Every structure is written in C-alpha cells, then in structure tokens.
Amino acid sequence: MPLPLQGLSAVVTGAGRGLGRAEALELARLGAAVVVNDYGQAGRDGSGEASAGPAEEVAAEIRAAGGAALAHTGDVSDFRQAGELVESAVAAFGKLDILVNNAGILRDRMVFSMAEEEWDAVLRVHLKGHFNTTRFAAAHWRERSKRAGEPVFGRIVNTSSEAFLAGSAGQPNYAAAKGGIVGLTTSTALALGKYGVTANAICPRARTRMTEDVFAGVERASGNGLDPLAPEHVAPLVGYLASPAAARVNGQLLVVHGGMVAVVERPRVAAKFDSKQDTFTYDELEAALGPYYADRPAGETFAAAEVLGLKRG
C-alpha cells in the first residue's frame, strides 16, 4: 500500500529544530522527499552566525531512515534566497508539491519599549518569509497548471500562533506577524484554489527553543510518556493537511497541541447597532455601545482562543 505522500516533494522552512524538524520527519515518514531549510543561527532571536549544521543533521536523519532529503540553508526573509529554495526542490525532485512555512524568530518586548529594528526583524522573518516562499511556490503551481491545462497538486501549511488569537502582551511584533500570516493564508487559498492548491494555517502549541520561557512551568510527562507539549503532537496534522486526503480543507485555521485539534471559525458579528439618522452622533454611539460594554468584564479583549477554552498553559 503506497504511503500518503509517496511521489510528492516538500519544502519545510525552519526545519533544523523543534516544530520544523518534527514536521520534516513526519512528511518524510509519510513518503515525501523533503528539502530541509534552516538558516541555522544559534539564537532564537536570529542572532549568531548562519550554520548548515541543523538542516544537514535533519536531512541526514531522513536519508538514514530510507527517505530522500537535502539541506538548504538560505534565509527565507530574503526574496532571492526564498526563490532559490523553491527552485532547489524543483531541481532535485522535478517539482514542488508541499510547502510548510515554519521559520521564525523572537524579539520580545512591551510595545512601549520595542525598538524599530525589533519590530522589523520579526515581521521580516515570519510574515515576509511566509510571503517570499509562497510567492515562488504559487508561481510554480500556476505555471504547471497552465501547462497541463488542469489543476495540479499543491499544499501550503503556514504557521500562525495563539498569540494572534488571544493576544500576547510582550509580543506585539510576533502577534502582528502571526495575524498577518492568517490573512496571507486566506488570501492565498482564494487565489490558488482554481489551480488545485490549498492553503491552511495552524496555531501550534509546543515546547521548543522559541517557547521555552512560555512553558517553563508546564510539567513534562512522567516516565517514558510523550511530553504533552512535544512537537510530535503537531506534526501529524501537518502531514494530513499536506496530503491528498485534505483536498477539501482550504483557507482554514486550526489550533493543535497534545492530541487535540480545534477548527477556528472566522470572526462573527457579536452585536449590531443601527443609527436612527444618516450617521451616528457621539451621544447615540455612547447610548448604544456604553451599556453593551458595561456588561462585559473590565479589560476583556477579543480573544477567540479563550472562547475555545484554549488559554495558554
């Protein structure tokens, strides 16, 4: 019986460690040939010299298990290098079928203390990095579809975060980037559907180098059990979304961790008020909105994740 991703090729960014590594290994286990991309910097803030080590190690692990893999150490936030990453998959495996965007960095700071460079760096790696690879993969699939005269197979899995859903006081840059990734994902899903391509985003919760502070107080499993926050809980969903079985899943946002997957609805109108004349007056707005918000808990913010009962640990 063929494996679900047999004959398909994939690119996984930020795949040298943590979530990306688990995702690359899972795609390979399901039969895909994988380009393991990782810039290889030592610091989770994007500091340190670039290194081929992390990407090479994961690619070697895949090959040792009988799979096909190659390492790529380009910076996905660089437009040209992102194009070279997509082209490396096409050159090595004949085509690209799956793109998993995972690469990211952290530069945490309260909004009143954040430096411009800290904002720009996080938006560049997360949001621009997602756009760069998506742009070149999309062009590849569009060209193939036009040449074939019919839809082709293409899958994009992007990485958002509960920091976008529920807010994260010390991460305005990260939360904004992750929200932008959801917008990019839904736009891409609409644009590429006719070519046979789906685009979805996940909000993973996992213990990695990026989240070591957030989950420092969350206990690990006792004995030989799998850590409830292990990246291996997230990887199977990525494998499924990358597969032919997920053809009807498009433009979706899913929260995943510890053996749980939640499908997030798009925002819905919670209340509606109509002016009694051509436009609202200040007094009319105060009379309509004042009582509505007076009944809500002080300081409550829009937080879809809390409605789902998915508060961070």
Side-chain angles (χ1 to χ4, degrees):
M1 184 175 179
L3 295 170
L5 305 183
Q6 197 71 47
L8 302 179
S9 66
V11 163
V12 183
T13 72
R17 306 176 178 91
L19 275 172
R21 174 184 176 275
E23 292 163 352
L25 293 175
E26 177 68 5
L27 296 183
R29 188 187 70 80
L30 294 175
V34 183
V35 179
V36 179
N37 165 263
D38 199 291
Y39 200 42
Q41 290 171 304
R44 64 177 183 171
D45 61 350
S47 62
E49 293 296 322
S51 169
E56 291 284 3
E57 288 175 8
V58 177
E61 187 174 352
I62 291 172
R63 291 192 295 267
L70 61 92
H72 185 278
T73 57
D75 178 2
V76 295
S77 70
D78 181 279
F79 192 72
R80 178 186 58 81
Q81 292 183 55
E84 292 172 350
L85 170 59
V86 170
E87 182 54 39
S88 70
V90 177
F93 307 121
K95 58 185 172 61
L96 173 65
D97 302 293
I98 301 160
L99 170 63
V100 179
N101 284 310
N102 174 75
I105 63 171
L106 290 178
R107 300 281 179 90
D108 292 353
R109 191 90 59 189
M110 298 297 285
V111 68
F112 43 76
S113 302
M114 181 161 288
E116 180 182 16
E117 192 278 331
E118 291 170 329
W119 173 273
D120 289 347
V122 169
L123 270 289
R124 184 179 67 249
V125 176
H126 285 275
L127 186 53
K128 187 183 178 186
H130 272 61
F131 160 72
N132 285 346
T133 54
T134 296
R135 187 263 184 228
F136 288 105
H140 169 71
W141 288 319
R142 180 173 179 266
E143 181 184 350
R144 278 177 52 198
S145 179
K146 285 191 166 186
R147 195 165 58 241
E150 60 184 7
V152 296
F153 182 92
R155 298 286 186 268
I156 299 174
V157 182
N158 288 333
T159 306
S160 184
S161 170
E162 290 175 273
F164 151 69
L165 283 172
S168 183
Q171 297 181 307
N173 47 5
Y174 181 76
K178 292 306 189 181
I181 286 167
V182 175
L184 172 64
T185 302
T186 55
S187 175
T188 301
L190 289 172
L192 299 186
K194 65 181 178 181
Y195 301 115
V197 179
T198 67
N200 296 286
I202 63 171
C203 293
R205 190 187 300 181
R207 197 190 308 272
T208 68
R209 184 175 64 147
M210 292 272 286
T211 61
E212 58 189 2
D213 297 336
V214 175
F215 298 124
V218 181
E219 291 186 9
R220 299 175 184 268
S222 59
N224 296 323
L226 185 63
D227 182 354
L229 291 173
E232 287 75 17
H233 288 297
V234 175
L237 176 61
V238 173
Y240 169 74
L241 293 174
S243 75
R248 294 178 61 85
V249 186
N250 195 26
Q252 300 296 298
L253 177 64
L254 302 101
V255 177
V256 54
H257 62 85
M260 187 283 303
V261 174
V263 179
V264 180
E265 287 188 339
R266 296 194 181 192
R268 295 185 294 173
V269 175
K272 181 176 179 290
F273 306 94
D274 295 307
S275 174
K276 296 177 181 178
Q277 55 270 334
D278 287 344
T279 188
F280 276 103
T281 65
Y282 174 90
D283 289 339
E284 191 179 14
L285 284 170
E286 199 284 328
L289 294 176
Y292 175 74
Y293 283 104
D295 293 335
R296 298 168 72 93
E300 183 183 46
T301 61
F302 169 73
E306 297 201 12
V307 174
L308 287 168
L310 300 176
K311 292 184 181 180
R312 293 171 71 170

